[in-house]
Amino acid sequence: MVASQLAAVLSKLQTLYSDHASVVSMNLFVALLCASIVIGHLLEENRWMNESITALAIGLCTGVVILLTSGGKSSRLLVFSEDLFFIYLLPPIIFNAGFSVKKKQFFRNFITIMLFGAVGTLISWSIISFGVIKFFKEMDIGSLEIGDFLAIGAIFAATDSVCTLQVLNQDETPLLYSLVFGEGVVNDATSVVLFNAIQSFDLTNTNHRIALEFIGSFLYLFLASTLLGVAVGLVSAYIIKTLYFGRHSTDREFALMMLMAYLSYIMAELFYLSGILTVFFCGIVMSHYTWHNVTESSRITSKHAFATLSFVCETFIFLHVGMDALDIETWKFVNDRPGTSIIVSSVLLALVMAGRAAFVFPLSFLSNLAHKSANEKISFRQQIIIWWAGLMRGAVSMALAYNQFTRAGHTQLRCNAIMITSTITVVLFSSVVFGLMTKPLIRFLLPHSKVTSEPSRSSSPKSITVPFLGSTQDSFEDSPKGVQQPSSIRALLTTPTHTVHYYWRKFDNAFMRPVFGGRGFVPFVPGSPAERSEHKLPQLQ
Amino acid sequence: MVASQLAAVLSKLQTLYSDHASVVSMNLFVALLCASIVIGHLLEENRWMNESITALAIGLCTGVVILLTSGGKSSRLLVFSEDLFFIYLLPPIIFNAGFSVKKKQFFRNFITIMLFGAVGTLISWSIISFGVIKFFKEMDIGSLEIGDFLAIGAIFAATDSVCTLQVLNQDETPLLYSLVFGEGVVNDATSVVLFNAIQSFDLTNTNHRIALEFIGSFLYLFLASTLLGVAVGLVSAYIIKTLYFGRHSTDREFALMMLMAYLSYIMAELFYLSGILTVFFCGIVMSHYTWHNVTESSRITSKHAFATLSFVCETFIFLHVGMDALDIETWKFVNDRPGTSIIVSSVLLALVMAGRAAFVFPLSFLSNLAHKSANEKISFRQQIIIWWAGLMRGAVSMALAYNQFTRAGHTQLRCNAIMITSTITVVLFSSVVFGLMTKPLIRFLLPHSKVTSEPSRSSSPKSITVPFLGSTQDSFEDSPKGVQQPSSIRALLTTPTHTVHYYWRKFDNAFMRPVFGGRGFVPFVPGSPAERSEHKLPQLQ
């Protein structure tokens, strides 16, 4: 996948970087990135705005200015390329998501997240596809085939995990964050897998065998990608633990972590797996093992450098989407009948909302059945927020839409142009409107969320409130208090995640950590000063 | 410059990334980078090896393996492109060099560095050009024009500052490091400026006016590039000081530093200046002002992340040069007469050594005349090391040679092929032989260098021995002890750098630091606890 995409992005870029004007574009783009960061910072106290919307707005404004100064010819500095997005921008974001996710929460809700991310996306996809087939066939929007309709389903089933990260707060609403964000990552992978499957499968003669094959390939992709990510993460932990023990060098450690993380992503592409899932699980494993094997300064550096990289990539994406929204070429094609585009966008938005509602509430009900304690059940208000926070569509949708509808050169066909502009409309509308409404909605529905969550962590930026190494230290530390040792098979059935978690911790401490390092490798046993100092020595050297 | 280069690199890359094989290449390349880091670490205790040579060797071995497995067809994973090098790999290396250079040493020796870097490079260039014209006209190596000969002079006048960084130790031999490395950066810029001037000037009718124009454009480039770098650095300091005061966020601070640094580089390209000089001075200014305005974790992160980025880029370059050395296509052209290539390489190596000797010893003599104290004079033994450590030729030479001799497609002309293979030979030979011999030579000539330099800093990696924020804290701190207040004009003439330094410090403390932050912004005045706590507050928040 990467290879053909790279060829495509390079041919696109080549047309751009052919004169001095491209240097101007690069300058302007980097300057805009700086401006987005500064303005996003200044608007931080604003309860409505977030950095994504700021970047989107700056992109839109720049687009308008360029459109006006260039006399309506072009609004773009760089052509949006799904390839640039998938190869360079997405991996750091998803890796950092895995690297900084609260693992305890994530794995405690693992089954629910999987339900939402895999089954839910399939439900959402089928509803959107079905609705699109039903509505669009009656409307006159050109020659779309069955494959196009299914692709539209996959395009709009992809939630925007990047935007979600900005709207929900890991410290304020940990359960919601882990559910919505975890779902988002699995959902991204599911959508991409679905999309590729639709493009490659022969859809003219659908039957049960193909459906089974499809499920089989999905499961294979999911498991293989996860295992690859875990394996690369473990190898990195083992290398750093074995070779660097006692004579640490921050530059080498951090370089190795960065390179291994990217290696996991391109290895997944090598084996035709889902790089998103791989790099996500690689991030989780690295933060659980590798991160604990490196020096103090490597920890601080890796934590912040990965977060910064991810932050810059996110800002880049939103800036780009904002600038791309005014692509005059595409809008010209739908200019003659603006009503159609509006109707198409509205239908798609409605389907997105319906498709998400169709799985959030039933699957939450199922999930609640499995949990006994009221603390872990998903309340109806929380369900509304989960439904709402996942309505945003973002760069993944854009990338997939461009892939599907601009393959034969530019958007020359009117139906393709309509789909592109509708996608842009849906992405802009959902990012801005749903994005703006999420924070107030959470305040309205869960007014006490700040109080019930961890104390003293207010809404100020992470790097201030959290001490240097805070946010990744919760891994599996304080869980024993909440976990009762299972007394019987019944307990295993009623509290499956807790039990799995319990046995995982035993296994982790007995086998994994002695080999791969991690917290167990540098145990802060209170009553054993000898061991502590012995283990702390390599850090202090 | 960037624009046409980008177009070229993209067209080159496009032919590569056209199938699954390119994903394999990317995987192999990233894996080799990891391997270089690990093996370089394991060989650290070895007194002969350094990381550059390790990466070169791994590149060579990989080249041989690929050559054998592909049946002698190709030895390369990626085509070496000067554009990739100049746009992506060189900026982080030079920026980090400026960011981590010991500023006190650098500015104390500023005039000497300038003498070596600008005048010395011109001397070296003219000697190599003259020698090449004299020798090659007698040999039968094809139709080289006067422009080619002058370009060869510029190509081989470019020392390898990257390799120098690895061979000399900032803590063990601070004077030598600052001289050789500072010279290297100015030398890189001089060579690139020279090279571009040769390519663009009409050399058929040379006269005095052109020579004056040339000197004028060189001075303009030098001053304008420096000023631009300083300006961007100051803007970054001002933005972070003004906007972020009191509510720091590491991600934003680090992102802004990174983006502004790159912005300085591409702005230099925008104005047709020397990006190398710009980004180097931007790094110096950022470490003097901006770095002191950010939070503690931002400091650690930026220090190590920039160093790591630079480290990875260096490793990438050496790996690539090693792999590229076996480019079978080019070697085929010189295969019929291998003797010519060897003679050409030997002549070039001899000229490189003569050209460097011709300016190191006379200019050192001049520099010694200006310094009174024996401590600051460059001893003859040190002169030998300066001469020797700057003999290595590296990626800049490769990039310029590829630019000059492969412009019309591949190396189809025999004389071009000879020049490419000779450049590769000189680069490999000088990197490996001179690189390997430098450490022992320093031990032989300056056996007490470790003792006379700062105590307790042994040869272990920087990040261990230097405390978290150590290496950039020496900026202008302890200089007052060594600086006598100038009593007369005579003092200004005899100790010009010290006097300049003294007035600079007064100016810095009175005007610059209050506006742009820096160390003066958070003064550690011992007798003023009130001010200290007041100034420290924003850091602790």
Side-chain angles (χ1 to χ4, degrees), chain A residues 218-361:
Chain A
F218 179 76
L219 284 178
Y220 160 75
L221 268 176
F222 190 88
L223 289 176
S225 305
T226 306
L227 282 179
L228 180 66
V230 170
V232 174
L234 287 179
V235 168
S236 79
Y238 187 78
I239 288 178
I240 287 180
K241 174 171 177 280
T242 312
L243 299 178
Y244 287 65
F245 182 65
R247 38 174 187 157
H248 291 278
S249 154
T250 294
D251 296 353
R252 291 206 195 92
E253 286 172 350
F254 179 50
L256 212 54
M257 284 172 86
M258 214 165 49
L259 288 171
M260 294 286 277
Y262 196 67
L263 188 63
S264 80
Y265 188 80
I266 53 172
M267 271 178 82
E269 298 294 336
L270 182 70
F271 300 128
Y272 303 103
L273 301 174
S274 162
I276 295 177
L277 272 176
T278 304
V279 83
F280 178 73
F281 280 99
C282 184
I284 288 183
V285 171
M286 276 201 180
S287 78
H288 187 55
Y289 295 109
T290 320
W291 193 76
H292 291 281
N293 296 345
V294 298
T295 54
E296 188 90 345
S297 50
S298 293
R299 290 185 202 184
I300 298 169
T301 304
S302 56
K303 179 164 139 47
H304 290 296
F306 288 139
T308 305
L309 211 59
S310 160
F311 170 65
V312 171
C313 289
E314 282 173 28
T315 313
F316 187 95
I317 289 173
F318 284 105
L319 195 60
H320 212 322
V321 168
M323 245 188 270
D324 224 54
L326 289 172
D327 177 20
I328 203 75
E329 293 280 303
T330 320
W331 285 103
K332 267 184 200 155
F333 275 93
V334 292
N335 207 20
D336 50 339
R337 260 193 292 168
T340 313
S341 193
I342 291 171
I343 294 172
V344 167
S345 307
S346 315
V347 167
L348 284 171
L349 265 175
L351 284 173
V352 163
M353 295 174 87
R356 190 163 177 84
F359 77 82
V360 167
F361 300 107

Side-chain angles (χ1 to χ4, degrees), chain A residues 360-371:
Chain A
V360 167
F361 300 107
L363 293 182
S364 299
F365 179 75
L366 276 181
S367 166
N368 282 346
L369 285 184
H371 288 99

Side-chain angles (χ1 to χ4, degrees), chain A residues 59-75:
Chain A
L60 271 173
C61 295
T62 316
V64 170
V65 170
I66 296 173
L67 202 62
L68 291 177
T69 50
S70 72
K73 270 199 293 186
S74 169
S75 73

Side-chain angles (χ1 to χ4, degrees), chain B residues 140-160:
Chain B
D140 171 34
I141 53 163
S143 56
L144 290 174
E145 290 165 16
I146 178 78
D148 289 323
F149 290 124
L150 295 181
I152 291 171
I155 289 167
F156 289 100
T159 60
D160 188 4

